[in-house]
């Protein structure tokens, strides 16, 4: 089963998409397999991280900003090279095991769409594969 979801981002940030992935798993009827979450954008990413304390999200974005700042030496005409670097660093996809019809996420884990170049109209895919 493959589903496409749309997301309007207001600015740079981490957007919790765990419920979309769970919804897709439930609709698929798969009880054992994997769910792949894929971002087809070059200035955004998919990541799994803590979903209990929002300060973790703030800290991640702060650290990525310090690690990959905008630099005057960047040549990309659109002016968002740092967003491309962050996207490559974080990655375009995540894979989560499904067992007993549930995502095998840790207690504090959530799945996030990472926007590094908002605001934008985005989309992402969830593919559920029976195992």
């Amino acid at each position: 089963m493959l589903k496409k979801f749309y997301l309007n981002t207001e600015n740079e940030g981490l957007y919790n998409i765990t419920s979309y992935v769970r919804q897709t798993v439930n609709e698929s009827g798969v009880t054992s397999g994997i769910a792949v979450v894929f971002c087809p954008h070059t200035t955004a990413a998919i990541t799994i991280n803590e979903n209990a304390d929002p300060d973790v999200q703030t800290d991640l974005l702060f650290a990525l900003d310090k690690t990959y700042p905008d630099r005057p030496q960047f040549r990309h005409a659109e002016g968002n090279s740092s967003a491309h670097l962050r996207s490559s660093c974080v990655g375009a996809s995540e894979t989560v095991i499904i067992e007993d019809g549930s995502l095998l996420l840790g207690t504090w884990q959530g799945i996030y769409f990472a926007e590094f170049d908002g605001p934008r109209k985005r989309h992402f895919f969830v593919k559920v594969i029976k195992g």
Side-chain angles (χ1 to χ4, degrees):
M1 170 180 230
L2 176 68
K3 286 197 74 175
K4 182 178 185 178
F5 293 96
Y6 296 90
L7 183 66
N8 290 323
T9 62
E10 296 190 20
N11 51 31
E12 180 179 345
L14 298 177
Y15 295 81
N16 192 332
I17 59 170
T18 310
S19 63
Y20 297 100
V21 181
R22 281 196 175 111
Q23 171 190 335
T24 306
V25 170
N26 290 339
E27 290 175 9
S28 75
V30 170
T31 57
S32 182
I34 58 172
V36 179
V37 185
F38 176 73
C39 170
H41 303 285
T42 60
T43 58
I46 303 294
T47 190
I48 295 174
N49 216 299
E50 182 172 331
N51 67 356
D53 181 357
D55 285 339
V56 172
Q57 297 168 35
T58 302
D59 292 349
L60 285 170
L61 292 170
F62 172 79
L64 286 168
D65 185 50
K66 292 299 178 192
T67 305
Y68 303 103
D70 284 324
R71 299 182 187 273
Q73 297 86 356
F74 288 156
R75 297 175 57 175
H76 181 45
E78 199 173 339
N80 59 356
S81 289
S82 63
H84 288 286
L85 289 165
R86 293 171 198 178
S87 173
S88 288
C89 174
V90 175
S93 68
E94 289 286 350
T95 302
V96 182
I97 297 169
I98 301 166
E99 198 57 48
D100 296 324
S102 297
L103 295 170
L104 286 185
L105 291 171
T107 301
W108 308 113
Q109 286 184 320
I111 305 167
Y112 291 91
F113 184 96
E115 173 62 76
F116 300 124
D117 196 28
R120 298 276 184 172
K121 291 183 182 195
R122 301 292 200 174
H123 61 278
F124 62 93
F125 296 95
V126 179
K127 173 79 173 179
V128 177
I129 304 167
K130 185 175 181 178

